[in-house]
Amino acid sequence: RALEVRIDEARRTATLVWSYRNTPDVYAPGFGSVQRLANGNTLIGWGASTLTATEVKPDGSKVFELILHGAESYRARKASWQGRPPWPPTLVTWEREGKAELVVSWNGATEIASYRFYGGKTRDALQPIGTATEAGFETRFDVTGLVDDTCYFAAIPIDKQGQAQVESNVVLAFTSPCAGKAAYLPFVAATSPD
């Protein structure tokens, strides 16, 4: 159980204020933690058993429960977190119906609002070609309406304050007009999952 107890040292008494017992019961040989959150909820880490953490309201109703089999936990904590990976975003391209489709991912970044995409005839002459709203793990951008010899692409994430972040790798499209350039540039590309 998770317990909140009021201690009266003068009278040497302990009074139960609040408790929570999970359904189903979670048993552990040791550890465990209880964290009262700013909103009045309580986060309970159930200790060195299958990693289980439960958040409950003051009335005991569950808000959230995490169970990770094959892992143990000393304690569970909840806190605000912002991710900004130390590596740049990864951009890949594949051909779809003769046009390049770009897919960018900056796995772990939490404060990205959109991606600005760049394209050019050479890797050193990239110009803005459009933006796409951040869409989770992968953000896609369809490169339609570009001049056929636009072969090189990059992306830059834009954070929620409108600030540009670190540029992705530069990729070479697999479209027919660009195929002859592949020998001159290391690139990242993939085949379409479709």
Side-chain angles (χ1 to χ4, degrees):
R1 294 185 296 163
L3 301 172
E4 180 181 355
V5 178
R6 182 177 300 113
I7 305 294
D8 185 333
E9 293 183 14
R11 293 183 180 173
R12 296 182 180 208
T13 60
T15 305
L16 179 63
V17 175
W18 180 88
S19 71
Y20 177 82
R21 184 173 178 166
N22 206 23
T23 303
D25 285 326
V26 179
Y27 296 97
F31 310 131
S33 61
V34 176
Q35 177 189 13
R36 186 61 44 85
L37 304 174
N39 65 1
N41 291 353
T42 303
L43 181 70
I44 305 159
W46 295 102
S49 61
T50 296
L51 192 154
T52 304
T54 307
E55 182 179 339
V56 297
K57 293 180 179 180
D59 67 5
S61 59
K62 283 186 187 180
V63 174
F64 167 83
E65 187 160 66
L66 169 73
I67 301 171
L68 294 175
H69 297 283
E72 293 184 354
S73 172
Y74 178 76
R75 72 171 58 117
R77 290 285 182 254
K78 187 173 182 179
S80 296
W81 179 77
Q82 292 182 352
R84 189 179 191 287
W87 54 83
T90 300
L91 181 67
V92 298
T93 183
W94 43 62
E95 183 179 342
R96 186 183 304 265
E97 299 174 5
K99 293 291 184 182
E101 181 179 47
L102 304 174
V103 180
V104 64
S105 178
W106 200 16
N107 189 16
T110 59
E111 300 301 305
I112 302 307
S114 63
Y115 286 90
R116 186 177 304 138
F117 291 89
Y118 294 81
K121 295 178 183 181
T122 68
R123 69 178 294 125
D124 299 322
L126 300 178
Q127 299 295 320
I129 58 172
T131 61
T133 301
E134 191 272 340
F137 178 68
E138 294 179 341
T139 300
R140 296 174 182 273
F141 185 76
D142 185 17
V143 187
T144 55
L146 290 182
V147 178
D148 285 341
D149 60 352
T150 300
C151 296
Y152 298 92
F153 298 95
I156 295 179
I158 307 300
D159 69 18
K160 293 175 182 176
Q161 289 72 44
Q163 299 299 310
Q165 301 298 304
V166 62
E167 182 177 332
S168 73
N169 54 304
V170 175
V171 297
L172 174 63
F174 272 145
T175 54
S176 298
C178 302
K181 299 182 180 188
Y184 305 106
L185 172 74
F187 62 93
V188 175
T191 57
S192 173
D194 296 336

